[in-house]
Structures are given as C-alpha cells and as structure tokens.
Amino acid sequence: DADVTQTPRNRITKTGKRIMLECSQTKGHDRMYWYRQDPGLGLRLIYYSFDVKDINKGEISDGYSVSRQAQAKFSLSLESAIPNQTALYFCATSEGISYGYTFGSGTRLTVV
Amino acid sequence: GQQLNQSPQSMFIQEGEDVSMNCTSSSIFNTWLWYKQDPGEGPVLLIALYKAGELTSNGRLTAQFGITRKDSFLNISASIPSDVGIYFCAGQRAYGNKLVFGAGTILRVKS
C-alpha cells in the first residue's frame, strides 16, 4: 500500500457541485498538506494541518475547506466547484520540514 | 505567490548530455530539497541539503546548497530517457514552518 493514498484519482464534476477529495496516510506523521498544481505555477499550498486540532490556510484557500478527521486522514472540499478549480491536487505528509514531504499520487479534477 | 525562482522553465536535451538547473531566492533558506515528478504521479524527494556549501550526490544527480543560502542547483549527468519529468526545488526559509516550491523545470530527453 502507498504511504499516502488519495481518492479519487480522477474526477469530473459540474460547476456548482460540492466535491470532496480524500487523503489518508500510513506514515504516522502529524503534519499534512493540500497542494494544487497548475502548469507553469508549480505547487501552491491550499491548507495545512500540524495536528488534528490545528488547521491553517495556505496561499490559495478561497473556495476550499478542509477537515482533519484523524491523524491519518485529511480531506479537501470544494463547496461549489468552478471551472478555474480544474487542476491536479496533491496531499502530502511530513515528519518535519527538514525531512521533506511525502506526496500522494494526486487527484486530477476537472470542473465543467 | 512563488518565492523561489527556478530556471530554466523547460529543457529538451539529447540523451547522454548533462543537465543543470537552479533555484534562487531573495530570502535565506535553512534547507533545500529537490524533487522529481514523473507523469501522472506525485513529486518524489531526490536530494536534501542542510548546510551552506553542502554538495550531495544521489547516483547521477548532484545538488549544492549555495554559500549565500539563497540558492541551490541540481545537476544530472549523462541523461537517460527515464530522467524525463518535472523537477522542483523546495526550501525552508529561516524561521519558516512550511516548504516553498519553485515552479518546476520540465525535462525532456531525446533518445
């Protein structure tokens, strides 16, 4: 099993729909992150969590929300999807910044 | 927005050639990391650097932590087709609690 599992891998949804992307990890790390990847823009941080009771906004949190259900689970929601949220979304975990992040395989989301 | 300037944006090279890419910032960093992303997958850590001037190798990859602590470079020697992908630099600023990522370098290799 992968250390960081994201579901679904691909999703097409309609404008205005609510959608949830899920992430679970087996690394036992406290820190979890959600990133968005767009061509030419690299990885942009949406939300991050340093433990179950700690949730923080990243640089592009508008239009998104998160839930940290347990140490191992961190989900990202789009309350009302819009086409410019079409992107590749990555979840990551970390033991500490110096060790880097372990990324999931990503969810490719298309909003039509 | 992006706080790391990564260059070049893309490279299309002949198999066997050496590759060099770099990241610069106006801020001082405590840690530099280099990642590779294969098509359809998440980024995977290649090399981590923790001290100014540090030079670290991983197979055909060599990375250095700049003396000023504001830059880092990655070299790939004798490129092969499986080197294709996107390479990201990432850094932890002094007193920062998150990684900052560059925009990535897209590498394509002609065999």
Side-chain angles (χ1 to χ4, degrees):
Chain A
D1 285 346
D3 293 329
V4 182
T5 301
Q6 291 184 238
T7 56
R9 285 300 308 271
N10 292 282
R11 180 74 181 267
I12 300 173
T13 192
K14 293 185 178 180
T15 297
K17 291 290 188 183
R18 184 180 189 275
I19 182 170
M20 180 182 289
L21 309 184
E22 303 201 27
C23 176
S24 63
Q25 52 114 346
T26 58
K27 301 282 283 184
H29 293 165
D30 286 326
R31 302 180 181 209
M32 297 188 74
Y33 309 82
W34 275 103
Y35 280 88
R36 168 178 171 158
Q37 184 180 20
D38 298 278
L41 296 178
L43 295 161
R44 294 184 292 166
L45 183 62
I46 307 173
Y47 271 95
Y48 62 102
S49 169
F50 285 172
D51 68 39
V52 174
K53 296 182 180 178
D54 176 74
I55 302 288
N56 304 280
K57 293 183 177 181
E59 57 183 299
I60 55 163
S61 59
D62 287 349
Y64 302 95
S65 62
V66 291
S67 173
R68 184 82 184 265
Q69 301 95 325
Q71 185 202 40
K73 295 184 183 294
F74 192 36
S75 59
L76 176 72
S77 294
L78 286 67
E79 298 302 323
S80 179
I82 56 177
N84 78 358
Q85 290 176 314
T86 293
L88 191 53
Y89 290 85
F90 287 103
C91 174
T93 75
S94 142
E95 180 179 4
I97 303 173
S98 297
Y99 302 99
Y101 298 168
T102 301
F103 286 87
S105 296
T107 294
R108 183 168 296 281
L109 177 66
T110 303
V111 183
V112 297
Chain B
Q2 294 293 344
Q3 297 174 56
L4 290 180
N5 299 308
Q6 185 171 350
S7 64
Q9 282 188 319
S10 65
M11 307 178 74
F12 193 14
I13 62 167
Q14 190 72 41
E15 181 178 359
E17 286 184 0
D18 296 344
V19 172
S20 184
M21 60 190 78
N22 68 80
C23 253
T24 61
S25 174
S26 57
S27 302
I28 290 175
F29 282 74
N30 285 343
T31 302
W32 285 98
L33 305 163
W34 285 92
Y35 285 84
K36 182 193 178 195
Q37 182 182 21
D38 288 324
E41 297 297 328
V44 173
L45 183 64
L46 297 173
I47 293 179
L49 301 158
Y50 301 109
K51 280 174 48 176
E54 180 181 354
L55 189 70
T56 297
S57 293
N58 178 4
R60 293 178 296 105
L61 278 61
T62 301
Q64 185 160 26
F65 193 136
I67 290 291
T68 65
R69 295 172 64 193
K70 294 182 179 181
D71 61 354
S72 177
F73 72 76
L74 175 70
N75 284 346
I76 305 173
S77 63
S79 58
I80 59 178
S82 62
D83 289 334
V84 299
I86 304 176
Y87 291 79
F88 290 102
C89 62
Q92 176 200 2
R93 285 179 298 161
Y95 308 111
N97 63 359
K98 301 181 295 298
L99 288 180
V100 176
F101 284 85
T105 294
I106 300 171
L107 178 63
R108 299 183 180 92
V109 179
K110 288 184 287 186
S111 52

